[in-house]
Amino acid sequence: MPPKQQQVVNVIKDEETFLNLISSENKKLVLLDVHPDWCGPCEMMHPTYKTLQTSIDDFEKRVDIYTLGYSKIVTYKHDKFNREPSSKPRFVFYQEGRLVDEVQGADIPAIIERVYKYLPMVY
């Protein structure tokens, strides 16, 4: 039987989790799916995340994918996002505590390209 894979997308449920993800201590690439709480396009991203999980060696050691509803941004240090919430989802990329890139809207090819661009070596 193949090994069980971890859940690909996790929901940020508290500020501590959020701050740990964007900490300079976290050596993984963090893809943060920031979206309106009602966002349908964000749900369609799950197959893309699953494909990334199966196609990247040592995915669990290299990439964290989390979702964060806009309603939580005010609670979780809004200043880290440099923008007001909008009706479009944002896909924000953090590396070692720095916001390195973002994609506006559910642009799947752009999101995949950035994951591979910023993918760290295995630690």
Side-chain angles (χ1 to χ4, degrees), residues 53-68:
Q53 180 188 36
T54 58
S55 64
I56 294 174
D57 291 336
D58 294 318
F59 178 87
E60 292 81 12
K61 295 178 182 178
R62 301 167 78 189
V63 181
D64 280 330
I65 301 176
Y66 278 80
T67 64
L68 176 64

Side-chain angles (χ1 to χ4, degrees), residues 6-123:
Q6 77 173 30
Q7 182 176 335
V8 179
V9 181
N10 298 289
V11 177
I12 295 178
K13 295 182 180 175
D14 57 52
E15 186 174 13
E16 182 180 356
T17 301
F18 172 72
L19 293 175
N20 285 335
L21 281 173
I22 63 169
S23 162
S24 61
E25 301 298 313
N26 184 2
K27 302 302 181 193
K28 294 182 185 181
L29 171 65
V30 175
L31 168 51
L32 188 57
D33 177 344
V34 185
H35 59 273
D37 297 328
W38 51 263
C39 184
C42 301
E43 292 299 316
M44 75 175 202
M45 292 301 299
H46 288 271
T48 300
Y49 299 148
K50 192 71 169 166
T51 299
L52 287 168
Q53 180 188 36
T54 58
S55 64
I56 294 174
D57 291 336
D58 294 318
F59 178 87
E60 292 81 12
K61 295 178 182 178
R62 301 167 78 189
V63 181
D64 280 330
I65 301 176
Y66 278 80
T67 64
L68 176 64
Y70 279 138
S71 64
K72 299 283 188 185
I73 291 176
V74 173
T75 306
Y76 301 157
K77 308 290 185 196
H78 175 266
D79 60 314
K80 295 286 184 184
F81 293 97
N82 305 320
R83 278 188 202 199
E84 292 297 318
S86 77
S87 61
K88 288 171 114 180
R90 260 177 93 201
F91 300 87
V92 185
F93 298 83
Y94 283 93
Q95 204 166 37
E96 297 183 6
R98 294 177 297 120
L99 190 150
V100 293
D101 214 333
E102 69 178 77
V103 173
Q104 291 289 324
D107 184 344
I108 293 171
I111 293 165
I112 291 171
E113 183 267 328
R114 281 164 179 89
V115 167
Y116 282 101
K117 178 178 179 180
Y118 297 108
L119 191 63
M121 295 295 193
V122 178
Y123 291 101

